[in-house]
């Protein structure tokens, strides 16, 4: 059942404001120097505030790959977007794999992830010593370990091995852990979370939006999928499916839209309110990609590519559920676009290479900037779990079972029109593998997964090579040079950077 943002988005305001209000009380009594390490958290209300602060990390603009949707822009699904001159040196290099270790944004992303790790570690290290309800204590720790697992999974995909900080007072100099060590920590954190978090239906209405057993199992399936461990991918994806806690929204646009926020398909999303400013409960992720010009909903980055547009099957409703074109009308708001942005851009041979259009998946009802801050980004949704299950089952030699979950996604996509998107019937493993990857592209487009899918399946060089991708280099991002400099060379750069 759908719930409104104001009744469920505890992370939007409580995640930061309750922490700070609690801190203010401590500041009235104690020196600032003992605030985080000595005097907080000490009580059950402190434990709640500290746990809410963990979630607030995910609303910060920098958490989302440094502020810009670079993972889509580095794929074949999107281009920089906005108008041609906007953020050319900041975002443009990601569009053509021309980034360097000093690239703007990498340091912001890296630093924000470690801010999140620190907040998680505060809960994990300090809450066990608080006298409070033991079941609630365990849940808070599991929530923090869920988010820490999520963050380190971001780290290891983006940079490989990174310094693994699991204590409050780490050494000033830390070597990079190996990729395997980071993955082991991710799996340990998410396993603890899955074993100790409640199912979604066991939460009170006021707590909907917190991490659940289903969210932890979904992330475990994703971790194992990225590692090519299809046995465990199948295991954890099927646990989510068999829990009967989730279902597909009947309408595709609701899967990411306002009508589906904290809904039955949203396994884990980032809470947000329709207010300009993170401090007011908003999330800038949607604003960064919102329609530019008229209506003024944002900056217009992450422009859907013509390659993505042309890849959809004839009649697939997900095309219009993914791309906003000039002339469309959404929620009675006409989309007129941005004056300085060319409606159509062609190359020297007259071929269309870019059309002014926008990411439909971040659209929220409204006609001004503030309302676009209300988009609740789905970090995990049920359609993804179904497709992970399909992929794992196919790789495990269970093609007939894989078809069930693949075709559930296609059935929802066609929305009752049986003349389009026919069920996939092939049971040839190689053919079904390609069908599932293509389905992931169309179902999950502009949600940040295409680049990772191409990397993990070994197709990035073939697909992204013409865009500038170099095998053996661009699978990982460079460690921010500022971090290497601060470590006085103790941190070592990724290969070929």
């Amino acid at each position: 059942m759908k719930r409104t943002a104001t009744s469920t988005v505890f992370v939007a305001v409580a995640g930061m404001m309750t922490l700070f209000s609690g801190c203010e009380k401590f500041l009235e009594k104690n020196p600032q120097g003992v605030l985080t390490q000595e005097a907080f958290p000490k009580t059950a209300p402190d434990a709640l505030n500290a746990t809410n602060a963990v979630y607030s990390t995910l609303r910060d603009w920098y958490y989302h790959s440094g502020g810009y949707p670079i993972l889509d822009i580095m794929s074949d699904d999107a281009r920089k977007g906005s108008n041609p001159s906007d953020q050319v040196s900041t975002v443009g290099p990601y569009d053509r794999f021309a980034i360097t270790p000093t690239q703007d944004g990498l340091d912001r992303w890296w630093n924000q992830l470690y801010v999140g790790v620190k907040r998680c570690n505060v809960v994990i290290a300090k809450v066990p010593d608080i006298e409070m309800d033991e079941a609630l204590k365990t849940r808070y720790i599991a929530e923090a370990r869920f988010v820490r697992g999520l963050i380190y999974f971001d780290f290891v995909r983006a940079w490989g091995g990174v310094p693994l900080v699991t204590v409050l007072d780490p050494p000033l100099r830390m070597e990079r852990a190996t990729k395997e060590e980071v993955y082991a920590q991710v799996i340990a954190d998410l396993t603890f979370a899955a074993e100790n978090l409640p199912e979604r239906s066991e939460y009170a209405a006021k707590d909907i939006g917190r991490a659940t057993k289903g969210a932890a199992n979904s992330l475990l399936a994703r971790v194992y999928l990225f590692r090519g461990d299809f046995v465990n991918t199948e295991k954890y994806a099927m646990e989510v499916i068999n829990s009967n806690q989730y279902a597909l929204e009947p309408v595709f646009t609701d899967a990411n839209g306002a009508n589906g926020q904290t809904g039955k398909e949203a396994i884990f999303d980032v809470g947000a309110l329709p207010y300009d400013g993170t401090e007011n409960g908003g999330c800038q992720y949607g604003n960064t990609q919102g329609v530019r010009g008229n209506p003024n909903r944002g900056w217009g980055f992450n422009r859907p590519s013509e390659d993505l547009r042309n890849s959809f099957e004839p009649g697939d409703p997900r095309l219009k559920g993914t791309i906003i074109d000039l002339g469309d009308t959404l929620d009675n708001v006409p989309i007129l676009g941005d004056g300085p942005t060319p409606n159509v851009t062609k190359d020297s041979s007259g071929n269309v290479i870019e059309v002014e259009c926008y990411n439909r998946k971040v659209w929220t009802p409204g006609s001004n900037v503030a309302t676009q801050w209300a988009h609740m980004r789905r970090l995990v949704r049920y359609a993804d779990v179904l497709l992970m299950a399909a992929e794992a089952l196919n790789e495990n030699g269970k093609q007939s079972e894989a078809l069930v979950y693949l075709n559930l996604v296609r059935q929802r996509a066609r929305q009752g029109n049986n003349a389009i998107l026919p069920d996939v019937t092939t049971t040839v493993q190689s053919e079904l593998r390609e069908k599932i990857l293509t389905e992931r592209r169309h179902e999950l487009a502009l949600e940040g997964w295409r680049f990772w899918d191409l990397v993990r399946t070994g197709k990035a060089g073939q697909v992204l090579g013409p865009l500038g991708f170099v095998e053996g280099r661009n699978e990982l991002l460079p460690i921010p040079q500022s971090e290497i400099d601060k470590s006085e060379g103790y941190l070592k750069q990724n290969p070929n950077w």
Side-chain angles (χ1 to χ4, degrees):
M1 181 174 123
K2 176 188 173 293
R3 296 171 173 85
T4 62
T6 53
S7 66
T8 60
V9 188
F10 70 92
V11 295
V13 179
M16 185 164 56
M17 296 183 180
T18 57
L19 172 67
F20 291 160
S21 64
C23 291
E24 287 170 4
K25 294 176 184 177
F26 288 116
L27 284 169
E28 292 170 2
K29 300 177 181 180
N30 300 299
Q32 187 172 356
V34 300
L35 175 61
T36 57
Q37 299 294 344
E38 301 295 334
F40 183 85
K42 289 288 189 181
T43 66
D46 292 347
L48 173 61
N49 291 343
T51 304
N52 286 348
V54 166
Y55 289 100
S56 74
T57 304
L58 309 180
R59 278 194 309 107
D60 191 286
W61 190 55
Y62 295 165
Y63 169 76
H64 304 280
S65 55
Y68 297 94
I70 62 172
L71 297 172
D72 287 323
I73 292 169
M74 290 193 299
S75 79
D76 51 343
D77 280 358
R79 297 173 63 89
K80 174 183 81 72
S82 191
N83 67 44
S85 62
D86 195 6
Q87 303 296 313
V88 173
S89 61
T90 300
V91 186
Y94 294 101
D95 212 351
R96 57 186 187 277
F97 294 96
I99 61 174
T100 68
T102 59
Q103 187 63 47
D104 183 87
L106 293 179
D107 55 341
R108 294 196 302 265
W109 191 12
W110 175 283
N111 291 336
Q112 180 62 22
L113 292 179
Y114 275 117
V115 167
V117 167
K118 174 61 180 288
R119 291 174 179 172
C120 294
N121 287 343
V122 167
V123 174
I124 295 164
K126 305 282 280 187
V127 168
D129 295 331
I130 296 176
E131 291 187 10
M132 59 179 293
D133 179 83
E134 289 297 321
L136 191 56
K137 176 191 294 188
T138 299
R139 198 196 85 193
Y140 288 164
I141 296 167
E143 290 178 66
R145 291 194 67 173
F146 169 85
V147 175
R148 190 172 70 177
L150 171 69
I151 288 172
Y152 271 119
F153 187 37
D154 288 339
F155 260 130
V156 75
R157 285 179 299 174
W159 287 286
V162 295
L164 195 55
V165 182
T166 58
V167 295
L168 288 179
D169 295 302
L172 290 177
R173 286 185 171 182
M174 292 187 66
E175 293 183 356
R176 296 178 63 178
T178 66
K179 182 173 69 173
E180 292 304 315
E181 289 169 335
V182 177
Y183 269 119
Q185 185 63 56
V186 170
I187 291 169
D189 279 341
L190 294 177
T191 300
F192 181 90
E195 291 172 348
N196 291 281
L197 287 173
E199 292 282 14
R200 175 194 175 103
S201 61
E202 296 170 343
Y203 271 118
K206 66 182 178 65
D207 287 324
I208 294 297
R210 292 184 180 273
T212 63
K213 179 185 295 291
N217 281 329
S218 298
L219 281 187
L220 281 167
R222 186 178 288 165
V223 168
Y224 283 116
L225 182 73
F226 202 82
R227 291 175 61 75
D229 182 342
F230 297 109
V231 171
N232 274 310
T233 302
E234 177 187 338
K235 172 186 173 181
Y236 288 105
M238 293 308 301
E239 285 198 24
V240 177
I241 293 168
N242 292 333
S243 72
N244 296 315
Q245 296 285 312
Y246 309 98
L248 295 173
E249 293 284 350
V251 179
F252 173 72
T253 52
D254 290 343
N256 285 285
N259 289 337
Q261 61 191 21
T262 67
K264 57 187 178 182
E265 187 166 345
I267 296 178
F268 187 71
D269 48 14
V270 179
L273 297 174
Y275 304 120
D276 192 334
T278 304
E279 70 280 6
N280 297 318
C283 181
Q284 199 168 3
Y285 174 79
N287 169 254
T288 304
Q289 303 174 61
V291 174
R292 188 182 182 106
N294 190 353
N296 181 14
R297 306 301 309 284
W299 303 350
F301 289 100
N302 200 26
R303 173 156 297 135
S305 69
E306 289 304 284
D307 188 83
L308 173 63
R309 181 193 300 273
N310 295 330
S311 72
F312 282 92
E313 293 174 57
D316 190 339
R318 290 176 297 189
L319 171 60
K320 291 307 298 178
T322 301
I323 300 176
I324 300 175
D325 286 305
L326 301 186
D328 288 350
T329 298
L330 281 72
D331 297 316
N332 297 317
V333 178
I335 308 301
L336 304 180
D338 182 46
T341 301
N343 290 357
V344 178
T345 302
K346 299 181 179 181
D347 62 18
S348 57
S349 301
N351 300 310
V352 174
I353 58 174
E354 185 170 337
V355 172
E356 184 182 354
C357 56
Y358 298 93
N359 181 1
R360 173 71 174 83
K361 291 184 174 180
V362 300
W363 174 268
T364 54
S367 58
N368 59 16
V369 171
T371 51
Q372 188 62 75
W373 285 69
H375 172 69
M376 294 174 62
R377 183 184 180 188
R378 313 296 197 265
L379 293 182
V380 187
R381 64 182 179 93
Y382 189 56
D384 187 12
V385 173
L386 293 175
L387 292 174
M388 287 193 288
E391 184 171 347
L393 288 162
N394 180 52
E395 298 300 331
N396 293 335
K398 304 174 184 178
Q399 282 71 37
S400 295
E401 295 174 56
L403 288 173
V404 172
Y405 300 111
L406 171 62
N407 286 325
L408 278 176
V409 174
R410 290 176 66 80
Q411 178 182 349
R412 190 273 298 276
R414 60 179 175 257
Q415 296 178 189
N417 182 359
N418 292 327
I420 60 172
L421 301 178
D423 281 356
V424 175
T425 59
T426 182
T427 55
V428 177
Q429 187 181 59
S430 59
E431 294 178 0
L432 187 51
R433 182 183 297 130
E434 293 303 313
K435 293 284 188 182
I436 293 169
L437 184 60
T438 298
E439 197 68 28
R440 287 185 62 83
R441 184 183 192 188
H442 296 153
E443 177 68 26
L444 306 173
L446 307 182
E447 296 179 43
W449 303 123
R450 175 67 172 172
F451 177 77
W452 297 133
D453 279 348
L454 292 173
V455 169
R456 69 175 177 81
T457 58
K459 293 180 177 293
Q462 171 192 344
V463 175
L464 303 179
L467 304 179
F469 182 96
V470 177
E471 291 188 81
R473 169 176 165 155
N474 292 124
E475 291 86 354
L476 296 174
L477 295 169
I479 302 291
Q481 187 61 44
S482 58
E483 295 301 316
I484 293 176
D485 293 343
K486 283 187 287 188
S487 76
E488 297 180 342
Y490 204 66
L491 280 179
K492 302 303 180 184
Q493 186 55 271
N494 276 328
N496 299 316
W497 286 103

